Amino acid sequence: MTVDAQIVKKRMGTLRNVPTLPGVFERVISLMEGSSAGVKEVADIISSDQALSARILRVVNSVFYGFPRRISNIRHALVILGFDVVRGLILSTAVFDMMRSGGFISLWKHSLGCATAAGIIAQKTNASSPEEVSIAALLHDIGKVIIKIELPEESSRIDHVLAEKQLSTYEAEGEILGFNHTAVGNWLCQEWHLPDKLADPITHHHTPNLSRIAFLPTAVVHVADALVRGIGFGYAGDDFVPQIDREAWEALDISDALLEEIIKEMDHKLDYAEEFVSGDSSEI
Amino acid sequence: MKLARPVINESGVILLDAGAVLTEEVIAQLSDLGVELIRIEGEPRDAVEAEKSLDQQIADLQARFSRVEKDPLMNKIKGILLQRLREKVKGE
């Protein structure tokens, strides 16, 4: 365990409990971890919570806009997207609830934009599964929400130092807390038993060169984050586009023409994501 | 009059795609389906963005890239985004 992880674990260990997840999540996890889990069983459990199912489908169809086939029910989602993605989707609805009730709609918009961008990049570079990487991108800033909610005093100091010194959120967190939202995200991934392919991009989206397990998906989320901030879709906590890591960029092998194509498609799909955000802020 | 954005139901399924022509019949059907808000072409997409002039949007974009302006890759990305911003405004 790194020093960062130890500090976070100690700091977060003082919280009363891990952020709550939909009750159905625990049942789905234990079922999926069993060797005999079948699509029907898992689908039945998720579908038993109608509100959750509706919201999962809403997130599915916003993140995977442009998917060859529209996804109309949970069983369909499980067959097409796989257990890990659906697990991530259940989590995403919980994360969205946290973002919405905490008043972080702009961060949700940034996350949704990042998921859209990551899906496009993954699809055009064949770097990783577009669905999995989209979910990782949707969850990549979860640590920021936890810091805002659980550490309000430090959080306002972060905002203060960020404005005063013109720092990025990542830098300001380091200065005030001694660790960053990525370390909190990593802690949460462990608590929630997320697979490495989701946990690694969440943990290393600012430092893809440190990713040892899922480098390409991490590189995709890293680049998607920078592009979405460049476009100015949503708000990730500060006004600055982060530097793209050279190694991550080269690994994705994005030519100038492909970059233009990616940005063009982002423009189009973000318009669609925008519709969901404006609906989400009032409807769900 | 054309639809600027797709109309989406609660499950995220598209009921009517962007670009569809809004005849009286179509509007009545949407109304029957309980659709209360649609966006038509030519309507400002975002009140705040719409109020921003091109110059302001360019200044915002420059500010977002201010910490990475010396990097050739980041400059390339900024260049593409600037160009698209200008094209979008021209197209409206």
Side-chain angles (χ1 to χ4, degrees), chain A residues 154-184:
Chain A
E154 285 93 336
S155 187
S156 50
R157 278 165 58 208
I158 289 171
D159 289 343
H160 181 73
V161 77
L162 184 144
E164 195 180 53
K165 297 189 182 176
Q166 292 285 293
L167 299 179
S168 68
T169 308
Y170 186 78
E171 291 163 339
E173 287 166 348
E175 198 166 313
I176 299 295
L177 298 171
F179 55 83
N180 320 90
H181 64 276
T182 49
V184 178

PDB file of all heavy atoms in Angstrom, chain A residues 154-184:
ATOM      1  N   GLU A 154     -12.145  21.074   5.020  1.00  0.00           N
ATOM      2  CA  GLU A 154     -10.981  21.031   4.138  1.00  0.00           C
ATOM      3  C   GLU A 154     -11.367  21.446   2.726  1.00  0.00           C
ATOM      4  O   GLU A 154     -10.606  22.084   2.013  1.00  0.00           O
ATOM      5  CB  GLU A 154     -10.383  19.618   4.094  1.00  0.00           C
ATOM      6  CG  GLU A 154      -9.597  19.228   5.324  1.00  0.00           C
ATOM      7  CD  GLU A 154     -10.456  18.491   6.339  1.00  0.00           C
ATOM      8  OE1 GLU A 154     -11.691  18.678   6.324  1.00  0.00           O
ATOM      9  OE2 GLU A 154      -9.892  17.736   7.144  1.00  0.00           O
ATOM     10  N   SER A 155     -12.584  21.062   2.346  1.00  0.00           N
ATOM     11  CA  SER A 155     -13.046  21.346   0.999  1.00  0.00           C
ATOM     12  C   SER A 155     -13.126  22.854   0.739  1.00  0.00           C
ATOM     13  O   SER A 155     -12.718  23.333  -0.328  1.00  0.00           O
ATOM     14  CB  SER A 155     -14.424  20.700   0.810  1.00  0.00           C
ATOM     15  OG  SER A 155     -14.812  20.831  -0.508  1.00  0.00           O
ATOM     16  N   SER A 156     -13.590  23.608   1.729  1.00  0.00           N
ATOM     17  CA  SER A 156     -13.636  25.056   1.488  1.00  0.00           C
ATOM     18  C   SER A 156     -12.237  25.653   1.488  1.00  0.00           C
ATOM     19  O   SER A 156     -11.978  26.624   0.785  1.00  0.00           O
ATOM     20  CB  SER A 156     -14.579  25.776   2.463  1.00  0.00           C
ATOM     21  OG  SER A 156     -14.294  25.402   3.766  1.00  0.00           O
ATOM     22  N   ARG A 157     -11.326  25.027   2.238  1.00  0.00           N
ATOM     23  CA  ARG A 157      -9.927  25.505   2.177  1.00  0.00           C
ATOM     24  C   ARG A 157      -9.334  25.191   0.808  1.00  0.00           C
ATOM     25  O   ARG A 157      -8.541  25.970   0.273  1.00  0.00           O
ATOM     26  CB  ARG A 157      -9.107  24.863   3.295  1.00  0.00           C
ATOM     27  CG  ARG A 157      -9.309  25.612   4.627  1.00  0.00           C
ATOM     28  CD  ARG A 157      -8.835  24.828   5.821  1.00  0.00           C
ATOM     29  NE  ARG A 157      -7.435  24.446   5.770  1.00  0.00           N
ATOM     30  CZ  ARG A 157      -6.932  23.363   6.378  1.00  0.00           C
ATOM     31  NH1 ARG A 157      -7.729  22.564   7.058  1.00  0.00           N
ATOM     32  NH2 ARG A 157      -5.659  23.096   6.294  1.00  0.00           N
ATOM     33  N   ILE A 158      -9.709  24.053   0.258  1.00  0.00           N
ATOM     34  CA  ILE A 158      -9.228  23.696  -1.095  1.00  0.00           C
ATOM     35  C   ILE A 158      -9.718  24.745  -2.099  1.00  0.00           C
ATOM     36  O   ILE A 158      -8.940  25.257  -2.902  1.00  0.00           O
ATOM     37  CB  ILE A 158      -9.726  22.280  -1.493  1.00  0.00           C
ATOM     38  CG1 ILE A 158      -8.998  21.219  -0.685  1.00  0.00           C
ATOM     39  CG2 ILE A 158      -9.526  22.026  -3.003  1.00  0.00           C
ATOM     40  CD1 ILE A 158      -9.554  19.810  -0.823  1.00  0.00           C
ATOM     41  N   ASP A 159     -11.018  25.072  -2.006  1.00  0.00           N
ATOM     42  CA  ASP A 159     -11.577  26.076  -2.925  1.00  0.00           C
ATOM     43  C   ASP A 159     -10.861  27.413  -2.783  1.00  0.00           C
ATOM     44  O   ASP A 159     -10.600  28.106  -3.765  1.00  0.00           O
ATOM     45  CB  ASP A 159     -13.082  26.274  -2.655  1.00  0.00           C
ATOM     46  CG  ASP A 159     -13.897  25.066  -3.098  1.00  0.00           C
ATOM     47  OD1 ASP A 159     -13.368  24.253  -3.882  1.00  0.00           O
ATOM     48  OD2 ASP A 159     -15.045  24.925  -2.644  1.00  0.00           O
ATOM     49  N   HIS A 160     -10.550  27.747  -1.545  1.00  0.00           N
ATOM     50  CA  HIS A 160      -9.901  29.022  -1.273  1.00  0.00           C
ATOM     51  C   HIS A 160      -8.496  29.063  -1.899  1.00  0.00           C
ATOM     52  O   HIS A 160      -8.149  29.989  -2.628  1.00  0.00           O
ATOM     53  CB  HIS A 160      -9.830  29.227   0.242  1.00  0.00           C
ATOM     54  CG  HIS A 160      -9.211  30.527   0.637  1.00  0.00           C
ATOM     55  ND1 HIS A 160      -9.866  31.720   0.483  1.00  0.00           N
ATOM     56  CD2 HIS A 160      -7.976  30.823   1.144  1.00  0.00           C
ATOM     57  CE1 HIS A 160      -9.069  32.693   0.891  1.00  0.00           C
ATOM     58  NE2 HIS A 160      -7.919  32.175   1.286  1.00  0.00           N
ATOM     59  N   VAL A 161      -7.707  28.042  -1.612  1.00  0.00           N
ATOM     60  CA  VAL A 161      -6.315  28.023  -2.100  1.00  0.00           C
ATOM     61  C   VAL A 161      -6.280  27.897  -3.624  1.00  0.00           C
ATOM     62  O   VAL A 161      -5.415  28.449  -4.304  1.00  0.00           O
ATOM     63  CB  VAL A 161      -5.504  26.893  -1.390  1.00  0.00           C
ATOM     64  CG1 VAL A 161      -5.819  25.532  -1.931  1.00  0.00           C
ATOM     65  CG2 VAL A 161      -4.014  27.151  -1.488  1.00  0.00           C
ATOM     66  N   LEU A 162      -7.272  27.212  -4.145  1.00  0.00           N
ATOM     67  CA  LEU A 162      -7.389  27.021  -5.601  1.00  0.00           C
ATOM     68  C   LEU A 162      -7.592  28.382  -6.303  1.00  0.00           C
ATOM     69  O   LEU A 162      -6.935  28.696  -7.289  1.00  0.00           O
ATOM     70  CB  LEU A 162      -8.574  26.090  -5.828  1.00  0.00           C
ATOM     71  CG  LEU A 162      -8.977  25.571  -7.173  1.00  0.00           C
ATOM     72  CD1 LEU A 162      -9.486  24.143  -6.998  1.00  0.00           C
ATOM     73  CD2 LEU A 162     -10.065  26.390  -7.794  1.00  0.00           C
ATOM     74  N   ALA A 163      -8.475  29.196  -5.720  1.00  0.00           N
ATOM     75  CA  ALA A 163      -8.751  30.510  -6.308  1.00  0.00           C
ATOM     76  C   ALA A 163      -7.580  31.464  -6.077  1.00  0.00           C
ATOM     77  O   ALA A 163      -7.181  32.201  -6.983  1.00  0.00           O
ATOM     78  CB  ALA A 163     -10.029  31.085  -5.700  1.00  0.00           C
ATOM     79  N   GLU A 164      -7.042  31.393  -4.879  1.00  0.00           N
ATOM     80  CA  GLU A 164      -5.986  32.338  -4.526  1.00  0.00           C
ATOM     81  C   GLU A 164      -4.708  32.100  -5.326  1.00  0.00           C
ATOM     82  O   GLU A 164      -4.078  33.031  -5.807  1.00  0.00           O
ATOM     83  CB  GLU A 164      -5.696  32.207  -3.032  1.00  0.00           C
ATOM     84  CG  GLU A 164      -4.898  33.349  -2.472  1.00  0.00           C
ATOM     85  CD  GLU A 164      -4.647  33.152  -0.983  1.00  0.00           C
ATOM     86  OE1 GLU A 164      -4.141  32.074  -0.589  1.00  0.00           O
ATOM     87  OE2 GLU A 164      -4.986  34.047  -0.211  1.00  0.00           O
ATOM     88  N   LYS A 165      -4.331  30.846  -5.451  1.00  0.00           N
ATOM     89  CA  LYS A 165      -3.054  30.540  -6.111  1.00  0.00           C
ATOM     90  C   LYS A 165      -3.208  30.076  -7.553  1.00  0.00           C
ATOM     91  O   LYS A 165      -2.243  29.668  -8.175  1.00  0.00           O
ATOM     92  CB  LYS A 165      -2.309  29.457  -5.309  1.00  0.00           C
ATOM     93  CG  LYS A 165      -1.919  29.887  -3.915  1.00  0.00           C
ATOM     94  CD  LYS A 165      -1.013  28.824  -3.310  1.00  0.00           C
ATOM     95  CE  LYS A 165      -0.615  29.164  -1.898  1.00  0.00           C
ATOM     96  NZ  LYS A 165       0.187  28.086  -1.289  1.00  0.00           N
ATOM     97  N   GLN A 166      -4.443  30.092  -8.058  1.00  0.00           N
ATOM     98  CA  GLN A 166      -4.699  29.641  -9.430  1.00  0.00           C
ATOM     99  C   GLN A 166      -4.189  28.213  -9.649  1.00  0.00           C
ATOM    100  O   GLN A 166      -3.450  27.926 -10.591  1.00  0.00           O
ATOM    101  CB  GLN A 166      -4.030  30.599 -10.436  1.00  0.00           C
ATOM    102  CG  GLN A 166      -4.672  31.980 -10.470  1.00  0.00           C
ATOM    103  CD  GLN A 166      -6.012  31.964 -11.205  1.00  0.00           C
ATOM    104  OE1 GLN A 166      -6.063  31.742 -12.402  1.00  0.00           O
ATOM    105  NE2 GLN A 166      -7.077  32.171 -10.476  1.00  0.00           N
ATOM    106  N   LEU A 167      -4.568  27.332  -8.735  1.00  0.00           N
ATOM    107  CA  LEU A 167      -4.135  25.933  -8.830  1.00  0.00           C
ATOM    108  C   LEU A 167      -5.232  25.093  -9.470  1.00  0.00           C
ATOM    109  O   LEU A 167      -6.387  25.520  -9.577  1.00  0.00           O
ATOM    110  CB  LEU A 167      -3.870  25.371  -7.426  1.00  0.00           C
ATOM    111  CG  LEU A 167      -2.788  26.025  -6.574  1.00  0.00           C
ATOM    112  CD1 LEU A 167      -2.714  25.335  -5.222  1.00  0.00           C
ATOM    113  CD2 LEU A 167      -1.429  25.964  -7.269  1.00  0.00           C
ATOM    114  N   SER A 168      -4.870  23.879  -9.854  1.00  0.00           N
ATOM    115  CA  SER A 168      -5.896  22.919 -10.274  1.00  0.00           C
ATOM    116  C   SER A 168      -6.445  22.275  -9.000  1.00  0.00           C
ATOM    117  O   SER A 168      -5.813  22.344  -7.933  1.00  0.00           O
ATOM    118  CB  SER A 168      -5.281  21.843 -11.172  1.00  0.00           C
ATOM    119  OG  SER A 168      -4.405  21.032 -10.427  1.00  0.00           O
ATOM    120  N   THR A 169      -7.607  21.636  -9.111  1.00  0.00           N
ATOM    121  CA  THR A 169      -8.189  20.958  -7.947  1.00  0.00           C
ATOM    122  C   THR A 169      -7.203  19.925  -7.400  1.00  0.00           C
ATOM    123  O   THR A 169      -6.994  19.818  -6.190  1.00  0.00           O
ATOM    124  CB  THR A 169      -9.497  20.232  -8.354  1.00  0.00           C
ATOM    125  OG1 THR A 169     -10.324  21.166  -9.026  1.00  0.00           O
ATOM    126  CG2 THR A 169     -10.229  19.675  -7.165  1.00  0.00           C
ATOM    127  N   TYR A 170      -6.605  19.180  -8.320  1.00  0.00           N
ATOM    128  CA  TYR A 170      -5.660  18.120  -7.957  1.00  0.00           C
ATOM    129  C   TYR A 170      -4.511  18.677  -7.105  1.00  0.00           C
ATOM    130  O   TYR A 170      -4.158  18.119  -6.065  1.00  0.00           O
ATOM    131  CB  TYR A 170      -5.137  17.479  -9.248  1.00  0.00           C
ATOM    132  CG  TYR A 170      -4.260  16.272  -9.070  1.00  0.00           C
ATOM    133  CD1 TYR A 170      -4.809  15.027  -8.788  1.00  0.00           C
ATOM    134  CD2 TYR A 170      -2.868  16.367  -9.203  1.00  0.00           C
ATOM    135  CE1 TYR A 170      -4.004  13.912  -8.640  1.00  0.00           C
ATOM    136  CE2 TYR A 170      -2.051  15.259  -9.064  1.00  0.00           C
ATOM    137  CZ  TYR A 170      -2.628  14.031  -8.784  1.00  0.00           C
ATOM    138  OH  TYR A 170      -1.828  12.933  -8.635  1.00  0.00           O
ATOM    139  N   GLU A 171      -3.970  19.812  -7.538  1.00  0.00           N
ATOM    140  CA  GLU A 171      -2.856  20.434  -6.806  1.00  0.00           C
ATOM    141  C   GLU A 171      -3.327  20.969  -5.446  1.00  0.00           C
ATOM    142  O   GLU A 171      -2.654  20.777  -4.429  1.00  0.00           O
ATOM    143  CB  GLU A 171      -2.268  21.591  -7.617  1.00  0.00           C
ATOM    144  CG  GLU A 171      -1.533  21.135  -8.866  1.00  0.00           C
ATOM    145  CD  GLU A 171      -1.311  22.271  -9.864  1.00  0.00           C
ATOM    146  OE1 GLU A 171      -2.039  23.293  -9.812  1.00  0.00           O
ATOM    147  OE2 GLU A 171      -0.436  22.131 -10.718  1.00  0.00           O
ATOM    148  N   ALA A 172      -4.481  21.638  -5.467  1.00  0.00           N
ATOM    149  CA  ALA A 172      -4.992  22.229  -4.223  1.00  0.00           C
ATOM    150  C   ALA A 172      -5.309  21.136  -3.188  1.00  0.00           C
ATOM    151  O   ALA A 172      -5.035  21.304  -1.997  1.00  0.00           O
ATOM    152  CB  ALA A 172      -6.231  23.068  -4.506  1.00  0.00           C
ATOM    153  N   GLU A 173      -5.856  20.024  -3.656  1.00  0.00           N
ATOM    154  CA  GLU A 173      -6.147  18.907  -2.741  1.00  0.00           C
ATOM    155  C   GLU A 173      -4.850  18.420  -2.093  1.00  0.00           C
ATOM    156  O   GLU A 173      -4.797  18.179  -0.884  1.00  0.00           O
ATOM    157  CB  GLU A 173      -6.773  17.734  -3.500  1.00  0.00           C
ATOM    158  CG  GLU A 173      -8.199  17.956  -3.941  1.00  0.00           C
ATOM    159  CD  GLU A 173      -8.684  16.935  -4.978  1.00  0.00           C
ATOM    160  OE1 GLU A 173      -7.846  16.173  -5.528  1.00  0.00           O
ATOM    161  OE2 GLU A 173      -9.884  16.925  -5.246  1.00  0.00           O
ATOM    162  N   GLY A 174      -3.818  18.285  -2.921  1.00  0.00           N
ATOM    163  CA  GLY A 174      -2.522  17.826  -2.421  1.00  0.00           C
ATOM    164  C   GLY A 174      -1.997  18.766  -1.345  1.00  0.00           C
ATOM    165  O   GLY A 174      -1.479  18.331  -0.308  1.00  0.00           O
ATOM    166  N   GLU A 175      -2.156  20.063  -1.595  1.00  0.00           N
ATOM    167  CA  GLU A 175      -1.634  21.052  -0.651  1.00  0.00           C
ATOM    168  C   GLU A 175      -2.390  21.027   0.686  1.00  0.00           C
ATOM    169  O   GLU A 175      -1.795  21.102   1.745  1.00  0.00           O
ATOM    170  CB  GLU A 175      -1.732  22.442  -1.293  1.00  0.00           C
ATOM    171  CG  GLU A 175      -0.839  23.436  -0.612  1.00  0.00           C
ATOM    172  CD  GLU A 175      -0.652  24.708  -1.428  1.00  0.00           C
ATOM    173  OE1 GLU A 175      -0.383  24.604  -2.641  1.00  0.00           O
ATOM    174  OE2 GLU A 175      -0.775  25.789  -0.834  1.00  0.00           O
ATOM    175  N   ILE A 176      -3.694  20.906   0.616  1.00  0.00           N
ATOM    176  CA  ILE A 176      -4.493  20.965   1.850  1.00  0.00           C
ATOM    177  C   ILE A 176      -4.593  19.610   2.553  1.00  0.00           C
ATOM    178  O   ILE A 176      -4.470  19.518   3.764  1.00  0.00           O
ATOM    179  CB  ILE A 176      -5.929  21.496   1.549  1.00  0.00           C
ATOM    180  CG1 ILE A 176      -5.875  22.908   0.959  1.00  0.00           C
ATOM    181  CG2 ILE A 176      -6.814  21.448   2.789  1.00  0.00           C
ATOM    182  CD1 ILE A 176      -5.325  23.974   1.887  1.00  0.00           C
ATOM    183  N   LEU A 177      -4.823  18.551   1.777  1.00  0.00           N
ATOM    184  CA  LEU A 177      -5.079  17.242   2.396  1.00  0.00           C
ATOM    185  C   LEU A 177      -3.837  16.345   2.466  1.00  0.00           C
ATOM    186  O   LEU A 177      -3.773  15.447   3.289  1.00  0.00           O
ATOM    187  CB  LEU A 177      -6.149  16.481   1.592  1.00  0.00           C
ATOM    188  CG  LEU A 177      -7.543  17.085   1.478  1.00  0.00           C
ATOM    189  CD1 LEU A 177      -8.371  16.299   0.472  1.00  0.00           C
ATOM    190  CD2 LEU A 177      -8.232  17.075   2.829  1.00  0.00           C
ATOM    191  N   GLY A 178      -2.905  16.575   1.549  1.00  0.00           N
ATOM    192  CA  GLY A 178      -1.764  15.671   1.467  1.00  0.00           C
ATOM    193  C   GLY A 178      -2.064  14.457   0.597  1.00  0.00           C
ATOM    194  O   GLY A 178      -1.256  13.558   0.439  1.00  0.00           O
ATOM    195  N   PHE A 179      -3.271  14.409   0.049  1.00  0.00           N
ATOM    196  CA  PHE A 179      -3.627  13.376  -0.934  1.00  0.00           C
ATOM    197  C   PHE A 179      -4.670  13.979  -1.867  1.00  0.00           C
ATOM    198  O   PHE A 179      -5.107  15.120  -1.662  1.00  0.00           O
ATOM    199  CB  PHE A 179      -4.146  12.096  -0.256  1.00  0.00           C
ATOM    200  CG  PHE A 179      -5.308  12.310   0.675  1.00  0.00           C
ATOM    201  CD1 PHE A 179      -6.605  12.374   0.190  1.00  0.00           C
ATOM    202  CD2 PHE A 179      -5.113  12.435   2.042  1.00  0.00           C
ATOM    203  CE1 PHE A 179      -7.677  12.560   1.045  1.00  0.00           C
ATOM    204  CE2 PHE A 179      -6.183  12.629   2.909  1.00  0.00           C
ATOM    205  CZ  PHE A 179      -7.473  12.689   2.406  1.00  0.00           C
ATOM    206  N   ASN A 180      -5.045  13.249  -2.912  1.00  0.00           N
ATOM    207  CA  ASN A 180      -5.945  13.810  -3.928  1.00  0.00           C
ATOM    208  C   ASN A 180      -7.216  12.981  -4.088  1.00  0.00           C
ATOM    209  O   ASN A 180      -7.319  11.882  -3.553  1.00  0.00           O
ATOM    210  CB  ASN A 180      -5.244  13.873  -5.290  1.00  0.00           C
ATOM    211  CG  ASN A 180      -3.805  14.294  -5.158  1.00  0.00           C
ATOM    212  OD1 ASN A 180      -2.941  13.455  -5.008  1.00  0.00           O
ATOM    213  ND2 ASN A 180      -3.570  15.581  -5.172  1.00  0.00           N
ATOM    214  N   HIS A 181      -8.134  13.507  -4.906  1.00  0.00           N
ATOM    215  CA  HIS A 181      -9.398  12.788  -5.125  1.00  0.00           C
ATOM    216  C   HIS A 181      -9.171  11.419  -5.762  1.00  0.00           C
ATOM    217  O   HIS A 181      -9.989  10.526  -5.628  1.00  0.00           O
ATOM    218  CB  HIS A 181     -10.365  13.622  -5.969  1.00  0.00           C
ATOM    219  CG  HIS A 181      -9.903  13.918  -7.359  1.00  0.00           C
ATOM    220  ND1 HIS A 181      -9.071  14.961  -7.681  1.00  0.00           N
ATOM    221  CD2 HIS A 181     -10.159  13.293  -8.539  1.00  0.00           C
ATOM    222  CE1 HIS A 181      -8.840  14.966  -8.975  1.00  0.00           C
ATOM    223  NE2 HIS A 181      -9.480  13.970  -9.528  1.00  0.00           N
ATOM    224  N   THR A 182      -8.035  11.270  -6.457  1.00  0.00           N
ATOM    225  CA  THR A 182      -7.761   9.976  -7.087  1.00  0.00           C
ATOM    226  C   THR A 182      -7.483   8.903  -6.031  1.00  0.00           C
ATOM    227  O   THR A 182      -7.889   7.749  -6.194  1.00  0.00           O
ATOM    228  CB  THR A 182      -6.555  10.089  -8.032  1.00  0.00           C
ATOM    229  OG1 THR A 182      -5.490  10.745  -7.341  1.00  0.00           O
ATOM    230  CG2 THR A 182      -6.903  10.880  -9.276  1.00  0.00           C
ATOM    231  N   ALA A 183      -6.804   9.306  -4.956  1.00  0.00           N
ATOM    232  CA  ALA A 183      -6.530   8.350  -3.878  1.00  0.00           C
ATOM    233  C   ALA A 183      -7.831   7.988  -3.151  1.00  0.00           C
ATOM    234  O   ALA A 183      -8.039   6.835  -2.762  1.00  0.00           O
ATOM    235  CB  ALA A 183      -5.525   8.944  -2.889  1.00  0.00           C
ATOM    236  N   VAL A 184      -8.712   8.964  -3.012  1.00  0.00           N
ATOM    237  CA  VAL A 184     -10.018   8.684  -2.393  1.00  0.00           C
ATOM    238  C   VAL A 184     -10.825   7.748  -3.303  1.00  0.00           C
ATOM    239  O   VAL A 184     -11.464   6.802  -2.840  1.00  0.00           O
ATOM    240  CB  VAL A 184     -10.806   9.997  -2.134  1.00  0.00           C
ATOM    241  CG1 VAL A 184     -12.172   9.693  -1.547  1.00  0.00           C
ATOM    242  CG2 VAL A 184     -10.022  10.914  -1.211  1.00  0.00           C
TER     243      VAL A 184
END
